[in-house]
Amino acid sequence: MTRRNIMALMALIAMAVIFTASAYFYRMRTFRRTDYALNTVITITASGKGAEEAERAAIGEIRRIDAAFNAHSQTSELAKLNGSPSGEWVHVSDELFALIEKALKISAKTDGAFDITLKPVSDLWAINTENPRVPSDDEIANALGKTGYKNIALDRDKCAVMFKKDGMELDLGAIAKGYAADRAAAIMRKNGIRSALLDLGGNVFAIGKRADGKKWCIGLQTPYKQRGQYFKKIYIEDSAAVTSGAYERYFTENGKMYHHILDPKTGMPSESKIKSATVVCPDSALADALSTAVFVSGEDGAEKIAKSFKNVKITVLLNDGRVMEY
Ligand code: AMP
Ligand code: MG
């Protein structure tokens, strides 16, 4: 082979290497998309071929769930159910039925700490509005009379729901973000994505590992400190990590702080001595519901909950600064 031919061959090999490497890096390129839905900021980071399109599809799915299950929009399927009188069976979609059924099972297994029927009470507190306020004891007692997960009847064959008391209304706010993360992750996987992190305002879901082959690192936020100050880091793959904390939404009146996670027994913001509760498990809707339940249930309740659910890991930060793991 002449010197010229050798040079030409080497150039060809070099071009082939560059082409293969750039094709590989293109496929592994990471895309990040930030959007707003479900009353929160959503960030999806994904690597691999088709990542951009998969993220778009995932956001579309999250928006669909928001439109269907938002208790505060007048056009949602949930709002239509919420207007229904007691004693009347209301036919609902398979999806809404399944989510309500799942929520009721979680209520039963958490001794009622998680309860989707609290809307009449949370509406009084109006914490997610411009004008939150402390309701009177009478108002709370009256609203509590319209709650109770045991006052929902389900007919699986007819895919129907019935309220047993007048004025009942459901709020899926403590489970919908987790459910949306499950659905969005399923869509991304169907689109061939094997490495992604979905963050729906603290409801995190990890698909596979990071592009560099390491597990995803999730920082647990120190309440009332600047974003990014963590009291612990956890490492996950193919799993959800969901945190509930009083610091997320609250208002102050006469020097007292009132937050958004209610104790279904009292109708008051829970005083369980937990500052933040994180639940890690593969089922994101379950992790979401349980993080709320653990927050309400306190230290002893957290241990009980960890024992009664499979594949669930719980980390709580207590008011006194202790970090407990179950
Ligand atoms: P999360 O941030 O997931 O803990 O959910 C809190 C939201 O769920 C609140 O803003 C209320 O809309 C609703 N909620 C409050 N307390 C409870 C509770 N004990 N069980 C179920 N949902 C609740
Ligand atoms: Mg929750």
Side-chain angles (χ1 to χ4, degrees):
M1 210 183 271
T2 64
R3 196 183 151 85
R4 224 172 123 187
N5 282 349
I6 291 173
M7 295 283 284
L9 187 65
M10 280 175 68
L12 253 169
I13 292 171
M15 272 166 64
V17 168
I18 290 167
F19 180 78
T20 315
S22 46
Y24 175 78
F25 282 115
Y26 178 74
R27 257 187 299 154
M28 289 319 291
R29 247 174 82 186
T30 297
F31 288 92
R32 176 168 293 170
R33 189 186 171 104
T34 301
D35 225 306
Y36 193 86
L38 287 166
N39 207 15
T40 197
V41 176
I42 292 167
T43 307
I44 307 181
T45 311
S47 307
K49 196 164 168 257
E52 219 175 348
E53 298 81 54
E55 286 175 2
R56 205 173 304 131
I59 293 282
E61 177 70 352
I62 294 167
R63 289 201 187 290
R64 183 189 68 76
I65 290 166
D66 192 4
F69 300 156
N70 185 337
H72 301 280
S73 119
Q74 290 180 343
T75 52
S76 69
E77 187 190 2
L78 185 62
K80 281 175 207 147
L81 171 64
N82 279 347
S84 67
S86 65
E88 199 167 279
W89 286 103
V90 180
H91 179 77
V92 296
S93 65
D94 288 352
E95 192 180 26
L96 180 56
F97 187 89
L99 196 55
I100 294 174
E101 192 178 41
K102 182 170 192 147
L104 296 190
K105 280 185 186 154
I106 297 171
S107 297
K109 281 183 85 172
T110 59
D111 198 20
F114 174 77
D115 194 329
I116 56 169
T117 67
L118 286 172
K119 188 168 177 289
V121 186
S122 55
D123 280 352
L124 284 179
W125 289 93
I127 287 182
N128 293 327
T129 72
E130 304 266 296
N131 302 304
R133 67 181 184 97
V134 182
S136 71
D137 293 350
D138 280 353
E139 283 177 303
I140 291 177
N142 181 39
L144 274 177
K146 300 171 191 163
T147 68
Y149 72 94
K150 289 181 182 161
N151 293 319
I152 303 174
L154 297 181
D155 184 332
R156 183 185 281 212
D157 294 334
K158 295 199 178 79
C159 202
V161 179
M162 184 181 81
F163 295 148
K164 295 186 194 169
K165 288 190 171 187
D166 278 332
M168 284 184 71
E169 289 190 68
L170 308 185
D171 169 13
L172 297 171
I175 191 171
K177 276 193 272 176
Y179 175 69
D182 279 330
R183 291 288 316 136
I187 283 191
M188 294 193 69
R189 281 184 170 133
K190 214 169 132 199
N191 275 265
I193 300 302
R194 298 287 170 264
S195 168
L197 193 75
L198 298 92
D199 184 349
L200 283 65
N203 271 250
V204 175
F205 193 92
I207 299 179
K209 291 185 177 151
R210 295 187 334 193
D212 64 4
K214 291 184 182 152
K215 284 189 179 185
W216 296 96
C217 173
I218 313 296
L220 305 188
Q221 174 66 33
T222 308
Y224 312 110
K225 290 274 159 66
Q226 221 180 348
R227 286 265 165 210
Q229 283 203 31
Y230 305 129
F231 67 90
K232 191 181 160 63
K233 285 179 181 164
I234 55 173
Y235 296 86
I236 58 168
E237 79 177 277
D238 290 317
S239 181
V242 182
T243 299
S244 282
Y247 61 97
E248 290 169 329
R249 279 171 203 169
Y250 64 91
F251 70 98
T252 314
E253 198 173 292
N254 296 328
K256 194 168 158 40
M257 195 195 113
Y258 299 92
H259 63 78
H260 70 136
I261 304 176
L262 302 174
D263 183 337
K265 295 197 169 76
T266 62
M268 298 290 291
S270 154
E271 295 194 17
S272 66
K273 302 191 177 69
I274 286 183
K275 256 189 182 166
S276 106
T278 301
V279 175
V280 172
C281 78
D283 177 338
S284 174
L286 178 64
D288 189 3
L290 288 186
S291 68
T292 310
V294 168
F295 189 91
V296 172
S297 305
E299 207 177 334
D300 296 341
E303 191 169 6
K304 245 168 117 182
I305 288 172
K307 281 187 183 146
S308 37
F309 289 87
K310 269 193 223 147
N311 293 325
V312 165
K313 279 195 197 144
I314 298 172
T315 303
V316 297
L317 172 65
L318 296 162
N319 285 351
D320 62 14
R322 277 180 300 142
V323 177
M324 307 292 288
E325 287 178 77
Y326 306 97

